[in-house]
Amino acid sequence: MPSLGVLLLLHQPVLVSLAPDRRLGSKSPDAEGVLNGEYPPGDLLKEEELVPSTSLPQFQFLCSKSSSSFSIHKAAATLFGRLHDQLVNLKTQVEQFEGQFKDRTRLIITGHSLGGSVASLFTLWLLDNISQRDKDKDKSVIKHTLCVTFGAPLLGDKGFQEAISCSSLWNSCFLHVAANQDLVPRLFISPHNPNAMDIDSQTGPYRPFGTFLLCSASGCTCVEDPDAVSELLEAMGLETAGIQNPNEAWQIFDYGKPVKCLMSIVNIKGLAQLGELTVDTLRAGIILQLEAIGVISIQQNSGNRELIAKMEKDCLLKKKKAFDPSKKLNDMKIYMVNLEWYKKTCASDERGYYDSYKSKGSSQKDIKVVEFKKRLNKYWEKMVAEAERKPQTEGAAFMTRWLYGGTNYRRMVEPLDIADYYSKGCRDYKTNGRSQHFIRLEQWLEEAKKQNVSPSSTDSKKQKVSALLTEDSCFWADVEEALILCKSLKDGDQRKSRESTIKNLIKFEEDVMKQIENYAVSPEIFLEKSSFMQWWREYKEIMGTTYSSQLTRFMEK
């Protein structure tokens, strides 16, 4: 009986092969039958069922706050589970060679048909294990890991796709080769599978991830965009949709031919003919793609105008909506510079930028600050949301550049959010008003400190800016709460005992002193008209002239 073949080559590259054979037969489809190749892959049309992530504990690491659940192909999940012990042994063998990896060494995991699905799951499992073990090191092993599948069906739903695609590092580890004569890659595309569920779009619930190498007798093309992959897989299926003989339709496709072709030549054709038809480079690229995978011929592309126009429109729309954090970060730096200028100008009236913003008027300067704050918040909320969508075990820490930018932004802008919050008469900002993206930025900074990652420590200019900002971005919320406590004592509010209120005020005083000793507060808190100095005067009056502490002695100097 044929079974899963496993091959480890101890020289470069290291290859892991997962490829169950496929034979025609009549038995009912189940995972064991898939493994042993005892029934035709066409029977998988009845097995398009997805299983939820809650029943897949070994892949819970893919969940994140924004993608809390996903589903994958039931047969693939079942087969992976049945092979668990063998795959554990295989993973152990792979780990033994990690220490021998050199710059040009690649770990290649490959599988055919449903074996390709198992290969993808095994690769994810391996990547997670590497990430957990080597989170403090560079991820050179991950960068040199590649999963190549041949004729594999789509594996999971939109949640599964997003969990992988949102990590560019992980997404780049997958290459799926699909031929136009092989029906299995299009197994769960609804026009070719009458049993597929029509959820969210015409292609059903299944979504592609990674890079797809689509092949035909005419050539091949690489596609990364998931929507384009779905459309092209659907278009490729039209050629084989009319085959009457099921045995002929489900014959095993020999992927050796396109692989040999790719290894021997790189052939670019059709450009001369296209030159007479179009000068639009985007449309030209789309037409060449469709010709390469056998969907159209250049001479007869007029019959496929609808498909070409749709792909062109989708491409332009995605480009327009694309969120490029690198380019936008430069815009954010300009807004930050404007806020720093605002901060400096506010110091001249002994008030400080926090209190100046809190009592802002209708001047052009105040209006611009509101706009700068709004744009910065929108950018960093999106940045944090994008990072949250990555697999949990990749860690939350940004690259140093992003970590520094996010930290400076939080320390500069969150006080302005606090000012808006307390201006409305609200209380308890930390519990009821603080945005989740500020919390995550602060947590990521703490994680980086534990790993001895210093945000932009070599940039003296940035160090200077950072030194002028109070490190605790919630400092002014604590000041506001302390002012409210002082007012409650003056007004004789009985909701809290005087002893408890005094205790809380003393704790705030001690916290402030610790920050002063650690040079963690901006000098502007001591400006005469600041909220902090207002608190200090009220607190000193409440405690009386005989009260002495570190802070009272410091303030009297």
Side-chain angles (χ1 to χ4, degrees):
M1 241 186 249
S3 61
L4 222 73
V6 177
L7 175 63
L8 278 173
L9 299 182
L10 305 187
H11 302 287
Q12 301 178 357
V14 179
L15 177 68
V16 180
S17 177
L18 302 167
D21 293 335
R22 300 184 296 176
R23 294 180 177 177
L24 298 178
S26 59
K27 290 192 176 183
S28 299
D30 58 20
E32 195 67 39
V34 174
L35 174 60
N36 294 327
E38 295 173 350
Y39 68 90
D43 286 346
L44 283 174
L45 289 171
K46 303 170 187 176
E47 289 290 317
E48 88 290 340
E49 183 180 352
L50 290 157
V51 292
S53 54
T54 51
S55 61
L56 303 164
Q58 64 270 54
F59 294 104
Q60 283 300 304
F61 62 85
L62 287 170
C63 293
S64 64
K65 289 187 178 180
S66 56
S67 299
S68 58
S69 65
F70 60 86
S71 299
I72 65 173
H73 183 206
K74 182 179 180 180
T78 305
L79 184 55
F80 184 90
R82 287 177 182 264
L83 294 166
H84 184 267
D85 292 343
Q86 294 161 266
L87 293 173
V88 167
N89 292 333
L90 182 59
K91 183 162 69 73
T92 302
Q93 292 179 58
V94 171
E95 290 170 353
Q96 290 174 354
F97 296 105
E98 282 183 28
Q100 302 175 27
F101 277 25
K102 299 178 182 178
D103 289 342
R104 295 184 180 180
T105 304
R106 273 198 176 273
L107 170 64
I108 301 176
I109 302 146
T110 182
H112 181 235
S113 189
L114 195 58
S117 297
V118 176
S120 293
L121 293 174
F122 177 76
T123 301
L124 289 169
W125 195 33
L126 195 63
L127 291 174
D128 174 59
N129 184 265
I130 294 169
S131 294
Q132 289 190 62
R133 190 177 61 255
D134 299 331
K135 61 175 64 176
D136 295 334
K137 304 175 185 177
D138 65 14
K139 295 183 173 63
S140 58
V141 178
I142 294 180
K143 292 175 183 176
H144 292 83
T145 299
L146 179 64
C147 176
V148 183
T149 72
F150 296 91
L154 298 183
L155 181 55
D157 66 355
K158 186 176 181 180
F160 185 72
Q161 174 203 72
E162 289 179 347
I164 301 169
S165 299
C166 288
S167 169
S168 58
L169 188 60
W170 285 26
N171 197 52
S172 65
C173 293
F174 295 89
L175 175 65
H176 307 287
V177 184
N180 67 332
Q181 297 177 45
D182 190 351
L183 297 187
V184 176
R186 302 188 298 279
L187 206 56
F188 305 130
I189 301 292
S190 56
H192 311 296
N193 177 9
N195 298 309
M197 296 172 287
D198 190 14
I199 299 176
D200 291 339
S201 80
Q202 61 179 357
T203 57
Y206 284 84
R207 296 288 188 275
F209 64 90
T211 300
F212 275 70
L213 180 64
L214 305 177
C215 307
S216 77
S218 304
C220 60
T221 186
C222 263
V223 187
E224 293 183 3
D225 180 72
D227 293 334
V229 169
S230 295
E231 290 173 1
L232 291 174
L233 284 174
E234 180 183 339
M236 287 169 67
L238 298 176
E239 183 178 315
T240 52
I243 296 176
Q244 300 298 316
N245 185 343
N247 285 354
E248 182 184 349
W250 292 105
Q251 287 296 317
I252 298 174
F253 180 77
D254 181 8
Y255 279 92
K257 294 179 181 178
V259 169
K260 287 178 182 177
C261 180
L262 284 170
M263 292 176 67
S264 60
I265 58 169
V266 177
N267 188 20
I268 301 176
K269 59 182 180 179
L271 293 176
Q273 293 166 290
L274 274 173
E276 300 174 7
L277 299 173
T278 180
V279 293
D280 188 326
T281 55
L282 174 60
R283 177 164 294 215
I286 292 171
I287 293 172
L288 286 174
Q289 276 188 319
L290 294 176
E291 191 217 7
I293 59 177
V295 173
I296 65 172
S297 66
I298 292 177
Q299 293 82 358
Q300 299 174 345
N301 71 75
S302 58
N304 294 274
R305 285 176 180 170
E306 186 177 341
L307 175 60
I308 295 169
K310 185 178 186 304
M311 292 185 66
E312 188 176 22
K313 182 179 179 182
D314 289 347
C315 185
L316 291 171
L317 190 62
K318 284 184 173 65
K319 185 176 181 181
K320 185 177 180 180
K321 291 183 177 180
F323 176 63
D324 187 342
S326 298
K327 290 182 179 179
K328 288 185 177 292
L329 183 59
N330 292 326
D331 294 335
M332 298 307 111
K333 288 178 181 177
I334 295 173
Y335 298 139
M336 285 292 290
V337 168
N338 278 282
L339 286 181
E340 287 162 23
W341 173 82
Y342 176 76
K343 185 172 181 290
K344 287 182 179 180
T345 59
C346 291
S348 60
D349 64 358
E350 291 296 313
R351 188 182 296 272
Y353 93 110
Y354 171 78
D355 287 284
S356 293
Y357 180 83
K358 187 178 175 182
S359 58
K360 59 184 179 294
S362 57
S363 68
Q364 192 66 27
K365 180 176 71 172
D366 293 328
I367 292 171
K368 284 184 177 179
V369 169
V370 172
E371 182 63 22
F372 297 150
K373 181 174 82 76
K374 180 180 177 181
R375 289 180 179 270
L376 284 161
N377 278 338
K378 184 177 180 180
Y379 171 83
W380 283 104
E381 283 171 6
K382 192 165 186 176
M383 276 293 296
V384 170
E386 291 287 330
E388 286 276 64
R389 291 170 64 190
K390 292 186 178 182
Q392 293 172 350
T393 53
E394 281 201 4
F398 283 133
M399 294 185 301
T400 301
R401 181 188 185 198
W402 305 108
L403 181 61
Y404 170 81
T407 299
N408 247 16
Y409 150 76
R410 175 174 57 83
R411 291 172 177 170
M412 175 69 82
V413 175
E414 188 168 15
L416 305 184
D417 273 13
I418 291 169
D420 283 335
Y421 184 81
Y422 283 96
S423 294
K424 298 172 185 175
C426 300
R427 285 203 58 177
D428 201 1
Y429 168 82
K430 289 182 179 179
T431 302
N432 301 322
R434 196 178 192 198
S435 172
Q436 185 63 30
H437 81 286
F438 285 131
I439 296 172
R440 294 302 288 140
L441 285 170
E442 188 171 28
Q443 289 172 345
W444 291 340
L445 178 64
E446 293 306 312
E447 288 175 13
K449 286 179 180 177
K450 290 176 184 176
Q451 297 174 16
N452 296 316
V453 176
S454 176
S456 278
S457 58
T458 59
D459 193 322
S460 59
K461 183 179 179 181
K462 290 179 181 178
Q463 284 182 342
K464 183 179 178 181
V465 172
S466 179
L468 294 175
L469 295 170
T470 298
E471 288 185 10
D472 181 4
S473 56
C474 287
F475 173 81
W476 291 106
D478 293 332
V479 171
E480 295 288 353
E481 293 296 324
L483 279 167
I484 291 170
L485 290 176
C486 288
K487 187 176 186 302
S488 70
L489 286 175
K490 283 186 171 183
D491 296 344
D493 192 337
Q494 299 300 316
R495 284 179 291 182
K496 283 188 177 181
S497 68
R498 180 180 177 84
E499 183 181 349
S500 174
T501 302
I502 292 292
K503 186 178 179 180
N504 288 332
L505 284 169
I506 291 175
K507 184 181 183 305
F508 171 65
E509 174 196 348
E510 292 171 348
D511 289 342
V512 170
M513 193 62 223
K514 286 179 183 177
Q515 293 182 66
I516 292 172
E517 289 176 333
N518 293 325
Y519 303 96
V521 290
S522 169
E524 72 167 7
I525 73 168
F526 303 110
L527 292 173
E528 189 63 28
K529 297 178 183 179
S530 74
S531 292
F532 175 77
M533 291 304 293
Q534 179 188 342
W535 166 79
W536 171 246
R537 287 187 289 270
E538 293 182 12
Y539 177 67
K540 193 165 60 168
E541 182 181 339
I542 290 168
M543 300 303 288
T545 56
T546 60
Y547 176 74
S548 178
S549 67
Q550 273 189 289
L551 185 60
T552 59
R553 291 189 291 273
F554 173 83
M555 296 297 287
E556 287 170 359
K557 288 180 181 179

